[in-house]
């Protein structure tokens, strides 16, 4: 059994959960400890006890540890990418890509640790100097989802440690293997005991205990809107700082002047790659009437060419859905779409392959309107809808008519539409002629409305969450 990491030691738990491969249910990846509420209390105490000395370490000391972790992650990217694909079901290329990204994130924040700045201003009063310092917050609770099992933990843990915080990390139930490897790498990279603690297990037990602990100063959460809402209320009651990244219902506008090859490849990548299980996936494809029929015809032709199979098969374009629950949810939404009167123009059927897994044909709905549940609720699977818009103005208003606001996209060759959409899109990230999913790690990531709450993640702006400002007045 792989154990939890508490106070620098791998410690047992009474219970464990085994983790299986969604491409091949007979392939069991391992047994992972289920932490108890007492384990969480021990992990939080260890992180609290480790904080004062970790916060005072030199930036170079922290930077070196992050750098060593980065080097190991990058050196093992093939092996870890394979584990990720086995565990989560994205293709091997996507798995290796995600691990590479995690390695680069640690390298980026190894650099950021050396760039922690303050400010000095002249006081409005004579004889006083004013300084603004940035200090670490304390113990950070990191609660993560299953769809990016190593990159999301990396983009929370790396800045937390770089700025001098200690961490209690709870990964999603479906993906403990990647989390365990990451904790092991960081532990061996030289983190003092208690600086990073791993507690695996159920959200309602382990997650809840972290969120409610009075010693945890701040929570960085990525996951569903429903869990995010619960955690937000708990954080408010307990006076914690919070950063929440939640769902999306991301629009992609295809203008009548778009380059059709670009538009189709952007739509297929954004809607279906990583099995559509990306918070930034394009789920509403809003197509101007002038190009609608040609676009749909080309989409269907290219969807028919995609190979859906075992994630580790190099010829696979799209791997399985992550779990039975998610698979059932996708199938339910396909039924809901049909009952709402949408036309299932392609796919949507369960597929049988050599191995038993959760294989689902990518589904494309046409003849939909923005009020349908399939266009309003996050499905989080390989399911997308086409919404016909009379013109560009109508397309923009449909794009913004959503409770979410994470990512948005437009395919156009018109400079004025690009510029106009860039300003009018009500999303935190706007993509022009490029998929709504797929972002850089050195710039802010996050959304608006129901998609996000609190400061942005990634890049230098991550410091706004992981540090606290202190204003000092000195009369010398
Ligand atoms: P989820 O909300 O079910 O779980 C997320 C994490 O919260 C898990 O670790 C879970 O165990 C934990 N959790 C559950 N209940 C809890 C509770 N009561 N208290 C504390 N923790 C609790 O989400 P998921 O199914 O793992 O991930 C899919 C969701 O994540 C989708 O909605 C997707 O859009 C979202 N997501 C968002 C982003 C983003 O950056 N906006 C990125 C990736 C995924």
């Amino acid at each position: 059994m792989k154990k939890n990491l508490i106070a620098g030691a791998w410690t047992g738990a009474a219970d464990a959960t085994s983790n299986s491969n969604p491409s091949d249910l007979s392939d069991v990846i391992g047994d992972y400890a289920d932490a108890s509420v007492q384990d969480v209390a021990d992990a939080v105490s260890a992180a609290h006890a480790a904080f004062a000395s970790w916060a005072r370490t030199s930036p170079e000391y922290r930077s070196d540890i992050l750098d060593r972790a980065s080097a190991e992650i990058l050196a093992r990217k093939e092996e870890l990418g394979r584990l990720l694909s086995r565990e989560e079901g994205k293709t091997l290329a996507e798995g290796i890509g995600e691990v590479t990204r995690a390695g680069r994130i640690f390298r980026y924040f190894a650099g950021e640790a050396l760039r922690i700045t303050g400010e000095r201003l002249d006081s409005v009063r004579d004889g006083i100097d004013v300084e603004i310092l940035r200090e670490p917050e304390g113990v950070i609770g990191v609660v993560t989802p299953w769809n990016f099992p190593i990159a999301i933990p990396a983009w929370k843990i790396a800045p937390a440690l770089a700025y001098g915080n200690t961490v209690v990390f709870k990964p999603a139930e479906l993906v403990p293997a990647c989390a365990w490897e990451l904790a092991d790498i960081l532990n061996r990279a030289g983190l003092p005991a208690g600086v990073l603690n791993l507690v695996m297990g159920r959200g309602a037990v382990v997650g809840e205990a972290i969120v409610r602990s009075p010693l945890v100063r701040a929570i960085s959460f990525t996951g569903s809107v429903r869990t995010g809402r619960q955690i937000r209320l708990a954080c408010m009651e307990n006076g914690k700082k919070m950063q929440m990244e939640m769902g999306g219902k991301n629009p992609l506008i295809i203008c009548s002047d778009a380059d059709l090859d670009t538009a189709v490849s952007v739509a297929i990548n954004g809607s279906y790659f990583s099995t559509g299980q990306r918070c930034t996936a394009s789920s509403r494809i809003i197509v101007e009437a002038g190009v609608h029929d040609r676009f749909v015809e080309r989409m269907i032709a290219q969807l028919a060419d995609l190979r859906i199979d075992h994630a580790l098969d190099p010829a696979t374009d799209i791997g399985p859905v992550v779990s039975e629950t998610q698979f059932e949810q996708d199938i339910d939404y396909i039924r809901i779409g049909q009952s709402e009167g949408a036309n299932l123009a392609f796919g949507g059927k369960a597929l049988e392959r050599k191995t038993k897994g959760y294989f689902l044909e990518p589904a494309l709905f046409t003849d939909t309107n923005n009020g349908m549940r399939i266009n309003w609720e996050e499905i989080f699977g390989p399911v997308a809808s086409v919404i016909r818009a009379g013109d560009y103005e109508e397309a923009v208003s449909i794009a913004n008519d959503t409770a979410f606001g994470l990512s948005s996209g437009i395919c156009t060759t018109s400079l004025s539409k690009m510029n106009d959409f860039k300003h009018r899109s009500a999303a935190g990230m706007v993509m022009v002629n490029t998929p709504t999913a797929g972002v850089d790690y050195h710039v802010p990531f996050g959304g608006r409305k129901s998609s996000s709450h609190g400061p942005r993640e990634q890049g230098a702006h991550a410091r706004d969450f992981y540090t606290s400002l202190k204003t000092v007045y000195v009369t010398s």
Side-chain angles (χ1 to χ4, degrees):
M1 187 208 339
K2 299 276 198 211
K3 299 177 175 176
N4 292 305
L5 178 65
I6 300 173
W10 294 101
T11 58
D15 300 316
T17 304
S18 63
N19 177 23
S20 58
N21 179 347
S23 297
D24 176 0
L25 302 181
S26 68
D27 174 23
V28 175
I29 293 158
D31 290 328
Y32 293 86
D34 277 336
S36 62
V37 169
Q38 184 57 49
D39 291 332
V40 175
D42 293 345
V44 171
S45 298
H48 187 250
F51 174 65
S53 64
W54 176 248
R56 280 197 306 272
T57 52
S58 86
E60 190 175 64
Y61 180 77
R62 299 196 299 275
S63 175
D64 283 349
I65 293 174
L66 298 184
D67 204 33
R68 280 197 289 277
S70 161
E72 179 169 342
I73 294 168
L74 292 172
R76 292 175 57 198
K77 67 181 183 201
E78 312 275 338
E79 171 215 335
L80 294 171
R82 208 177 162 78
L83 177 69
L84 197 162
S85 297
R86 259 178 88 204
E87 180 172 53
E88 198 267 351
K90 60 183 66 171
T91 64
L92 185 56
E94 290 169 334
I96 294 171
E98 185 183 332
V99 171
T100 306
R101 177 190 177 86
R104 291 184 188 281
I105 287 169
F106 276 99
R107 191 161 67 188
Y108 175 85
F109 282 105
E112 283 302 283
L114 300 170
R115 281 188 284 269
I116 301 170
T117 55
E119 292 170 53
R120 205 207 68 80
L121 284 86
D122 289 341
S123 169
V124 294
R125 291 171 283 163
D126 285 340
I128 298 181
D129 283 333
V130 187
E131 272 180 81
I132 304 168
L133 309 179
R134 266 188 192 277
E135 298 185 335
E137 284 284 355
V139 180
I140 310 280
V142 166
V143 181
T144 56
W146 48 262
N147 65 329
F148 283 92
I150 197 161
I152 292 181
W155 80 54
K156 294 179 188 300
I157 293 170
L161 299 178
Y163 295 116
N165 302 280
T166 57
V167 172
V168 177
F169 167 35
K170 187 227 142 345
E173 292 88 321
L174 291 170
V175 290
C178 287
W180 191 93
E181 294 294 339
L182 182 60
D184 179 48
I185 289 169
L186 280 160
N187 189 39
R188 284 186 293 95
L191 283 180
V195 170
L196 172 70
N197 302 272
L198 171 71
V199 276
M200 299 173 285
R202 296 208 350 253
V205 177
V206 179
E208 184 86 25
I210 296 173
V211 168
R212 300 224 166 249
S213 168
L215 294 179
V216 174
R217 196 36 230 123
I219 297 287
S220 182
F221 166 81
T222 299
S224 61
V225 172
R226 202 165 57 102
T227 310
R229 195 170 290 136
Q230 283 173 17
I231 295 183
R232 189 155 62 191
L233 291 175
C235 285
M236 282 186 326
E237 268 175 33
N238 293 278
K240 292 191 198 325
K241 191 171 182 182
M242 57 185 137
Q243 172 180 64
M244 315 257 128
E245 289 300 340
M246 297 166 284
K249 199 70 203 170
N250 309 292
L252 169 67
I253 297 179
I254 311 295
C255 296
S256 49
D257 54 62
D259 175 273
L260 219 49
D261 288 340
T262 306
V264 171
S265 91
V266 161
I268 297 235
N269 176 320
S271 302
Y272 302 108
F273 283 12
S274 297
T275 324
Q277 298 173 151
R278 293 186 286 190
C279 49
T280 45
S282 333
S283 46
R284 297 181 298 136
I285 309 173
I286 304 160
V287 187
E288 276 191 59
V291 73
H292 178 277
D293 294 356
R294 275 182 297 141
F295 173 80
V296 168
E297 196 181 307
R298 294 271 287 274
M299 276 290 280
I300 291 173
Q302 288 208 19
L303 281 172
D305 280 346
L306 293 176
R307 180 164 166 178
I308 295 85
D309 212 324
H310 197 298
L312 295 179
D313 180 338
T316 294
D317 295 304
I318 296 176
V321 172
V322 71
S323 67
E324 187 175 0
T325 311
Q326 189 63 47
F327 186 86
E328 294 299 332
Q329 181 173 312
D330 297 346
I331 295 278
D332 267 358
Y333 270 110
I334 290 166
R335 285 200 204 104
I336 290 167
Q338 287 173 305
S339 68
E340 286 179 308
N343 171 41
L344 184 58
F346 184 87
K349 286 190 285 300
L351 297 172
E352 291 200 357
R353 292 292 179 255
K354 265 195 278 177
T355 48
K356 195 167 158 31
Y358 306 117
F359 300 106
L360 179 60
E361 212 177 10
L364 182 70
F365 280 111
T366 57
D367 302 309
T368 77
N369 66 62
N370 203 43
M372 291 176 171
R373 280 182 65 193
I374 51 166
N375 285 327
W376 202 254
E377 296 168 17
E378 186 182 50
I379 300 174
F380 217 58
V383 184
S385 309
V386 171
I387 306 172
R388 186 194 292 263
D391 57 15
Y392 169 74
E393 279 304 317
E394 195 192 352
V396 174
S397 99
I398 295 170
N400 288 338
D401 182 15
T402 168
F404 295 101
L406 187 56
S407 179
S408 70
I410 186 167
C411 289
T412 179
T413 52
S414 153
L415 197 54
S416 68
K417 283 182 188 171
M418 280 180 212
N419 272 325
D420 182 73
F421 186 65
K422 182 171 82 184
H423 294 296
R424 283 168 66 199
S425 171
M429 296 175 289
V430 179
M431 314 289 184
V432 179
N433 294 322
T434 193
T436 55
V439 296
D440 287 3
Y441 55 84
H442 66 309
V443 291
F445 175 91
R448 299 178 179 177
K449 302 197 264 182
S450 301
S451 291
S452 300
H453 182 91
R456 288 289 190 260
E457 304 207 65
Q458 305 194 62
H461 291 263
R463 66 170 179 240
D464 294 339
F465 179 72
Y466 292 101
T467 61
S468 181
L469 294 178
K470 181 183 275 173
T471 312
V472 182
Y473 296 85
V474 179
T475 304
S476 41

